[in-house]
Amino acid sequence: MKIVLAYSGGLDTSVLLSWIKEHYEAEMIAFCANIGQEEELKGLEQKAKRTGASKVYIADLQAEFARDFIFPLIQASAVYESQYFLGTSIARPLIAKGMIDVARKEKADALAHGATGKGNDQVRFELTAAALAPELEVIAPWRDARFRDEFPGRAEMIAYCDEKRIPVQASAKKPYSMDRNLLHISFEAGILEDPWLDAFAPKNKDMFKLSVAPEDAPDKPEYVTLEFKKGNCIAVNGRALYPLGVMRALNRLGGKHGVGRVDMVEKPLRGHEIPRRL
């Protein structure tokens, strides 16, 4: 059996790669979509191969992500329940599409992902797979009782990595999880599930990577000119740019001035609400 796994190199997907390979007696192909994670991609191929992957695909999908996903999202003013920004969710169908392309190229039998069994991401991945490749099986270990029984918490996953000599850097007391792409970076879980925590307090400023705190932003305003054609931004401050370049330029300008920070609560499929910082 040959399986394509959505792989990030973190604790969860590292454990999944090894566990699925062992329990399904499968050849594992690791797939990572480069959608703007920057430094998180360093050393990913070597890590996946040391964990047991026969092949590793790192597909640069940034231009497609900006053009076909981010720009239409902005044009539609798509915000879930009037407050929830879709920076993470908008990327999932593209990642799934990339996995399917690799699965067909490699003549794989199945796709695998590490989305939780009660969360939103499993729906995003699997609806895309059902629409584009209904012939492929989808393996979701977090819905498998064997996997949940073996790994009731992070401590067990870390111990498993130590036993299997899987190269991950993780702590049982990791304060939060992070998801980054070209459109945004979000943080959730861990200490952030305390609604009384002030994530924007100076002591927590190291959490933010793309924007400075408002108090650290320049005191003088900076004026930005955007040029549009047929509803799409085609230039920033007189410089013609494709969608990817537009996103990079605006990310730098906005981050420099502390623009774009949000503290909110999301409502996933599992029913309870989770504080989320973007």
Side-chain angles (χ1 to χ4, degrees):
M1 189 176 192
K2 188 181 291 187
I3 301 171
V4 177
L5 170 69
Y7 177 79
S8 67
L11 178 61
D12 282 26
T13 58
S14 295
V15 170
L16 287 171
L17 198 161
S18 176
W19 190 89
I20 294 172
K21 180 178 181 178
E22 178 181 346
H23 283 73
Y24 286 80
E25 297 181 352
E27 176 185 350
M28 298 299 296
I29 298 172
F31 174 82
C32 178
N34 176 4
I35 49 175
Q37 301 95 312
E38 301 292 344
E39 69 272 6
E40 296 174 29
L41 299 173
K42 292 180 180 178
L44 202 65
E45 181 175 358
Q46 296 83 351
K47 184 184 295 185
K49 288 184 175 179
R50 286 178 60 190
T51 306
S54 63
K55 293 183 180 180
V56 181
Y57 285 84
I58 301 176
D60 190 346
L61 304 180
Q62 294 180 92
E64 183 179 0
F65 185 40
R67 181 188 66 241
D68 297 339
F69 290 80
I70 296 177
F71 269 37
L73 174 80
I74 294 172
Q75 284 182 319
S77 298
V79 179
Y80 179 61
E81 292 187 341
S82 301
Q83 66 163 346
Y84 181 71
F85 295 100
L86 304 176
T88 294
S89 55
I90 193 63
R92 299 314 194 200
L94 177 59
I95 296 171
K97 175 178 174 288
M99 292 175 67
I100 291 166
D101 291 341
V102 169
R104 286 178 170 156
K105 178 180 178 180
E106 292 289 339
K107 295 181 171 56
D109 305 289
L111 308 173
H113 64 75
T116 56
K118 294 183 180 180
N120 295 329
D121 273 341
Q122 62 171 343
V123 178
R124 298 163 186 150
F125 277 114
E126 294 184 29
L127 283 180
T128 304
L132 301 181
E135 74 280 5
L136 292 175
E137 180 184 352
V138 177
I139 296 171
W142 281 111
R143 294 203 300 266
D144 188 326
R146 297 174 300 169
F147 186 82
R148 295 196 307 272
D149 289 344
E150 189 170 348
F151 303 107
R154 291 179 60 82
E156 289 79 11
M157 299 180 84
I158 294 170
Y160 177 87
C161 290
D162 290 340
E163 178 187 346
K164 300 287 186 179
R165 296 185 178 180
I166 296 172
V168 296
Q169 293 182 345
S171 166
K173 296 183 179 179
K174 184 180 178 182
Y176 45 74
S177 66
M178 181 180 75
D179 183 273
R180 177 178 180 177
N181 62 41
L182 185 65
L183 180 57
H184 85 154
I185 186 169
S186 66
F187 307 88
E188 67 178 4
I191 61 174
L192 301 179
E193 294 196 359
D194 177 2
W196 290 103
L197 177 78
D198 181 2
F200 298 151
K203 66 179 180 179
N204 295 320
K205 68 168 55 180
D206 290 343
M207 181 173 69
F208 296 93
K209 297 179 179 293
L210 303 185
S211 64
V212 301
E215 58 267 25
D216 296 329
D219 292 330
K220 294 183 179 179
E222 181 174 356
Y223 292 91
V224 180
T225 301
L226 306 180
E227 183 178 343
F228 288 83
K229 182 177 181 181
K230 296 182 178 179
N232 285 320
C233 182
I234 60 169
V236 178
N237 288 337
R239 182 185 176 192
L241 295 168
Y242 290 107
L244 176 57
V246 170
M247 293 305 302
R248 286 173 170 167
L250 295 181
N251 281 342
R252 287 193 297 270
L253 287 166
K256 174 183 174 183
H257 291 275
V259 175
R261 290 191 174 193
V262 179
D263 186 359
M264 58 162 291
V265 174
E266 69 168 315
K267 184 180 290 183
L269 287 179
R270 53 188 177 270
H272 63 275
E273 297 178 336
I274 299 177
R276 190 177 183 92
R277 275 82 188 191
L278 300 98

